[in-house]
Amino acid sequence: MSLMLTNSGFTGDARARDRAYKGRGAALNIEGRFEQWQRSAFDDGWQITPDEETETVPLKTVITREIAKSIITENDSPDIPFRYSLNPYRGCEHGCIYCFARPTHAYLGLSPGLDFETRIFAKTNAPQLLRTELSKLSYRSDVISLGIITDAYQPCEREFTLTRQCLEIMSEFNQPVGLITKSTLIERDIDILQSMAKRKLVHVTISVTTQDHHISRYLEPRTAAPARRMQIIKRLSDAGIPVGVNVAPVIPFLTDHELEALLEAARNHGATTAGYVMLRLPWELKTLFRNWLETHFPLKATHVMARVQEMHHGNDYDPTFGTRMTGQGIFAELLKQRFAKACARLDLNNAGRRQIQRLDASHFCVPGRAVQRALF
């Protein structure tokens, strides 16, 4: 196997030559968009035999301890319904091929492909930073979304427990938090979440893309199985923790037909709220996803991408605020109507129930700090 270098962007078509790695979402390790040189593999007939071509070398996950400078990020996007976010990790071992966060690894000089799911950075000082930032006089409490860029409950959380430590601090400060995950590990923290739920301080969203295990095993290889995620919803709901489902992403011709059935299954397991996000392919992600389609679902690849482009003015992605999460056109409008009708029929997103579950930031307090009373 030889490498061809160019400084003019991605070259060649390596889809037929790249091998899928068991347990990994991406088959490519393309260079990030900030790199001067781009590499693409090609078979020169010298170094790989036919027998070797069918084998894949298992890839190990490397966890790097990182000392972060700050931990709470403030968002101003009109498409995002929260002000603050917190991410204890960079990169995600779950390996979801569609993850919109993959291109962020390019900022580290790493690949949004295999590097994103094998080179993980743990912000080991996240709990200490969180306590410091919550204690600042300038901080104004609002809901913090935990685990938005990468899953806060990915496998390395078992060792580092950064998410649990952050939740303990938030509970101590009466700081409201929203969680979104695909992992069963969240069940470990039911004790904290249950206590916070009684004070209207937490809402959990379980992300479910498909109920088809055959698709899921390739689409999101190291996440909990779809049926197991439904069980997570039930366990959280039974514990009195407000829980919803996020159908994300919706992939045309691959998972879109499951929308109503998936929402109904989530409702039957205890979900009270629901949302959906259309497939997004920013930056390097478009190359990775195309390769994934050609590798695992070659007969659907052309149809999927044609419909994606139809919703984005002929492009693989359109970053315009207001439509980047849902797309535009007939298909996007149809999906929007299907979702609304299904939610109405299943009593999801009930206005009264959402009001009851609204998180409460009014009781936020810094432990040990005296509360200053109003002069008038």
Side-chain angles (χ1 to χ4, degrees):
M1 181 71 70
S2 301
L3 290 175
M4 178 170 59
L5 301 180
T6 175
N7 60 357
S8 60
F10 304 122
T11 63
D13 183 0
R15 290 176 297 185
R17 296 176 292 276
D18 291 310
R19 298 167 293 169
Y21 290 85
K22 184 176 181 180
R24 301 296 179 181
L28 301 174
N29 213 29
I30 58 176
E31 303 295 333
R33 60 191 178 280
F34 303 115
E35 303 304 311
Q36 180 180 5
W37 295 96
Q38 306 292 334
R39 300 168 176 83
S40 63
F42 70 96
D43 184 4
D44 58 9
W46 286 91
Q47 299 181 27
I48 293 182
T49 66
D51 291 337
E52 291 174 335
E53 195 170 4
T54 63
E55 300 175 358
T56 55
V57 179
L59 297 176
K60 294 183 178 180
T61 302
V62 177
I63 312 294
T64 301
R65 296 172 182 266
E66 178 183 13
I67 302 300
K69 295 181 179 180
S70 61
I71 199 63
I72 297 178
T73 302
E74 189 164 358
N75 308 290
D76 59 2
S77 169
D79 291 329
I80 300 177
F82 54 84
R83 179 180 177 185
Y84 298 122
S85 64
L86 188 157
N87 295 283
Y89 304 99
R90 293 207 271 188
C92 187
E93 194 174 352
H94 281 167
C96 305
I97 189 59
Y98 53 74
C99 183
F100 69 92
R102 282 183 177 272
T104 62
H105 245 43
Y107 292 110
L108 305 176
L110 297 172
S111 172
L114 287 167
D115 281 350
F116 180 79
E117 47 194 287
T118 60
R119 301 283 298 276
I120 313 299
F121 295 81
K123 303 175 185 178
T124 53
N125 62 333
Q128 293 78 16
L129 278 177
L130 176 61
R131 181 177 294 276
T132 299
E133 294 183 21
L134 291 180
S135 299
K136 291 181 178 178
L137 291 173
S138 59
Y139 178 73
R140 296 295 177 266
S141 181
D142 201 345
V143 178
I144 293 178
S145 291
L146 181 55
I148 295 299
I149 299 298
T150 57
D151 201 316
Y153 284 103
Q154 60 178 291
C156 61
E157 166 64 13
R158 288 185 172 86
E159 173 187 353
F160 290 95
T161 69
L162 298 177
T163 299
R164 182 176 177 86
Q165 293 178 60
C166 287
L167 284 175
E168 290 173 337
I169 293 171
M170 290 179 181
S171 179
E172 183 183 351
F173 279 71
N174 284 326
Q175 165 62 48
V177 59
L179 289 161
I180 183 167
T181 185
K182 301 182 181 76
S183 173
T184 59
L185 189 55
I186 192 173
E187 295 175 344
R188 177 201 64 186
D189 295 339
I190 283 181
D191 57 333
I192 302 176
L193 299 176
Q194 194 171 37
S195 172
M196 295 181 74
K198 292 177 181 178
R199 291 171 280 158
K200 295 185 177 180
L201 294 177
V202 67
H203 184 277
V204 176
T205 299
I206 302 301
S207 181
V208 186
T209 309
T210 176
Q211 294 190 91
D212 188 325
H213 287 243
H214 173 69
I215 296 177
S216 180
R217 64 183 293 199
Y218 299 116
L219 189 68
E220 38 197 19
R222 297 201 173 196
T223 62
R228 184 65 179 88
R229 273 180 255 179
M230 292 297 175
Q231 293 176 6
I232 300 173
I233 294 176
K234 180 170 176 53
R235 284 206 63 188
L236 294 174
S237 178
D238 290 347
I241 301 165
V243 59
V245 63
N246 190 32
V247 185
V250 176
I251 305 175
F253 292 119
L254 194 62
T255 67
D256 65 283
H257 64 282
E258 298 185 59
L259 180 65
E260 289 83 358
L262 201 157
L263 290 173
E264 184 170 359
R267 190 282 310 269
N268 292 341
H269 283 79
T272 57
T273 59
Y276 79 95
V277 178
M278 188 61 69
L279 176 68
R280 299 165 55 196
L281 300 175
W283 301 109
E284 298 91 345
L285 187 54
K286 60 177 69 71
T287 300
L288 295 169
F289 189 77
R290 280 179 178 274
N291 174 266
W292 179 86
L293 277 175
E294 291 288 352
T295 300
H296 298 291
F297 299 94
L299 298 181
K300 292 188 176 184
T302 300
H303 294 84
V304 171
M305 292 310 302
R307 187 51 56 89
V308 168
Q309 291 174 344
E310 178 186 313
M311 293 187 292
H312 296 292
H313 302 291
N315 301 313
D316 290 342
Y317 180 60
D318 179 8
T320 303
F321 287 140
T323 58
R324 60 180 182 144
M325 313 282 275
T326 58
Q328 299 182 76
I330 296 176
F331 183 85
E333 181 60 30
L334 177 61
L335 190 73
K336 179 180 178 181
Q337 293 182 23
R338 287 173 55 196
F339 177 80
K341 289 181 181 296
C343 287
R345 175 173 59 84
L346 299 170
D347 195 29
L348 290 168
N349 297 332
N350 179 284
R353 188 179 296 164
R354 289 181 73 95
Q355 182 64 31
I356 294 173
Q357 294 179 350
R358 186 179 297 276
L359 302 187
D360 185 5
S362 64
H363 299 293
F364 174 85
C365 64
V366 178
R369 179 186 296 173
V371 178
Q372 181 176 350
R373 297 187 178 183
L375 294 176
F376 305 100

